[in-house]
């Protein structure tokens, strides 16, 4: 049983399109995240949610809109895709407080914008 | 701002010992974490240090000096499967884990 699962694994799309990535965790964690890993493998936090509430929005363009319907799910919708959005997007979850540094990652969703 | 630096790439031989350094300057510190990421896969948690000193976990150990803003990951008895990227990360608090640039380790026979 996969702990953190995200779909789809691969997206290839044209500039200007809208796309969504879904994430679910069955670990019972309160906190979920979206991270972006660019071509240089730099992993950067985008958003974090604690119990459906937005905690961190790391100066991400408005075109990116996360949604957490419940604490086990965190989806990411991206409008008007740009070339620079091409990256691997990782969903992750953790327990709160000190244990929040121990993240459990999903397999990643590789987005390619043409 | 947040600054976490690691060497970009390192090479080592099977059976050897390698030390991957990490220096950090962050607004807030609540722990130093190390992750391993194989090519095409998700990062996985390896170890963490909150207090100064060495934490040992099998073939892997991690050291922290908070006054120097410095950590290292020590890998002993290197195996081919240890070829991966190693990511240093600082938990700054409020559910925020900031990653360094990562070190790609290549282990050769």
């Amino acid at each position: 049983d996969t702990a953190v699962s995200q779909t789809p694994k691969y997206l290839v799309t044209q500039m200007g399109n809208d796309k969504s990535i879904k994430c679910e965790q069955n670990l019972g964690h309160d906190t979920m995240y979206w991270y972006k890993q660019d071509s240089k493998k730099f992993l950067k936090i985008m958003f974090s949610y604690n119990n459906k509430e937005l905690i961190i929005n790391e100066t991400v363009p408005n075109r990116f809109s996360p949604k957490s319907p419940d604490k086990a799910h965190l989806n990411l919708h991206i409008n008007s895709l740009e070339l620079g959005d091409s990256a691997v997007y990782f969903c992750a979850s953790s327990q709160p407080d000190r244990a929040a540094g121990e993240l459990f990652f999903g397999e990643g969703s590789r987005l390619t914008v043409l | 701002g947040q600054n976490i630096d690691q060497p970009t790439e390192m090479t080592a031989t099977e059976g050897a010992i390698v030390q991957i350094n990490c220096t950090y300057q962050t607004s807030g510190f609540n722990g130093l974490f190390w992750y391993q990421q194989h090519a095409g896969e998700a990062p996985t948690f390896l170890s963490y240090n909150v207090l100064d000193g060495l934490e040992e976990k099998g073939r892997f150990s991690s050291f922290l000096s908070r006054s120097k803003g410095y950590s290292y990951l020590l890998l002993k008895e290197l195996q081919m499967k240890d070829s991966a990227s190693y990511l240093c990360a600082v938990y700054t608090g409020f559910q925020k884990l900031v990653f360094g640039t990562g070190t790609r380790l290549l282990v050769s026979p």
Side-chain angles (χ1 to χ4, degrees):
Chain A
D1 223 13
T2 309
V4 182
S5 58
Q6 49 184 114
T7 54
K9 277 193 79 172
Y10 300 95
L11 300 101
V12 181
T13 189
Q14 301 285 334
M15 267 175 57
N17 284 351
D18 304 339
K19 286 292 175 190
S20 292
I21 309 171
K22 294 185 174 182
C23 179
E24 176 182 1
Q25 55 98 0
N26 62 7
L27 297 166
H29 289 163
D30 288 336
T31 309
M32 293 186 74
Y33 310 79
W34 280 110
Y35 276 82
K36 178 182 180 180
Q37 189 167 45
D38 60 25
S39 56
K40 292 183 180 174
K41 306 301 180 193
F42 181 54
L43 200 57
K44 188 168 164 40
I45 190 167
M46 299 173 71
F47 301 102
S48 81
Y49 271 73
N50 189 59
N51 231 334
K52 304 192 298 176
E53 197 180 314
L54 179 67
I55 302 295
I56 294 171
N57 178 343
E58 197 70 357
T59 58
V60 177
N62 290 343
R63 299 182 295 105
F64 290 78
S65 48
K67 275 207 175 85
S68 182
D70 56 61
K71 76 173 198 177
H73 295 84
L74 180 61
N75 304 323
L76 183 66
H77 186 75
I78 316 169
N79 288 328
S80 305
L81 279 158
E82 300 176 358
L83 292 177
D85 298 333
S86 294
V88 181
Y89 292 85
F90 285 101
C91 176
S93 71
S94 72
Q95 293 286 40
D97 305 324
R98 242 194 209 148
E102 185 179 345
L103 302 186
F104 293 77
F105 285 89
E107 291 181 324
S109 297
R110 182 176 291 277
L111 172 65
T112 304
V113 182
L114 304 173
Chain B
Q2 323 281 25
N3 214 12
I4 303 174
D5 288 319
Q6 308 175 230
T8 307
E9 204 167 280
M10 298 181 74
T11 57
T13 312
E14 214 175 355
I17 299 173
V18 73
Q19 177 174 312
I20 303 174
N21 295 327
C22 170
T23 56
Y24 64 90
Q25 276 182 302
T26 55
S27 53
F29 179 86
N30 285 279
L32 191 293
F33 291 76
W34 284 95
Y35 282 76
Q36 180 190 60
Q37 186 178 23
H38 284 103
E41 296 182 12
T44 54
F45 167 76
L46 280 179
S47 70
Y48 86 101
N49 298 66
V50 175
L51 302 174
D52 290 353
L54 190 69
E55 290 283 341
E56 297 194 68
K57 222 176 171 185
R59 293 191 299 115
F60 294 2
S61 305
S62 56
F63 172 83
L64 175 66
S65 167
R66 287 172 296 170
S67 62
K68 292 181 180 172
Y70 167 69
S71 173
Y72 67 71
L73 180 70
L74 194 72
L75 293 80
K76 302 175 194 170
E77 299 165 21
L78 278 172
Q79 301 175 10
M80 298 295 290
K81 67 178 182 179
D82 297 329
S83 290
S85 288
Y86 291 86
L87 312 175
C88 172
V90 172
Y91 180 58
T92 58
F94 302 105
Q95 276 82 52
K96 189 170 178 180
L97 187 69
V98 181
F99 283 87
T101 46
T103 299
R104 204 172 119 203
L105 174 66
L106 183 62
V107 180
S108 55

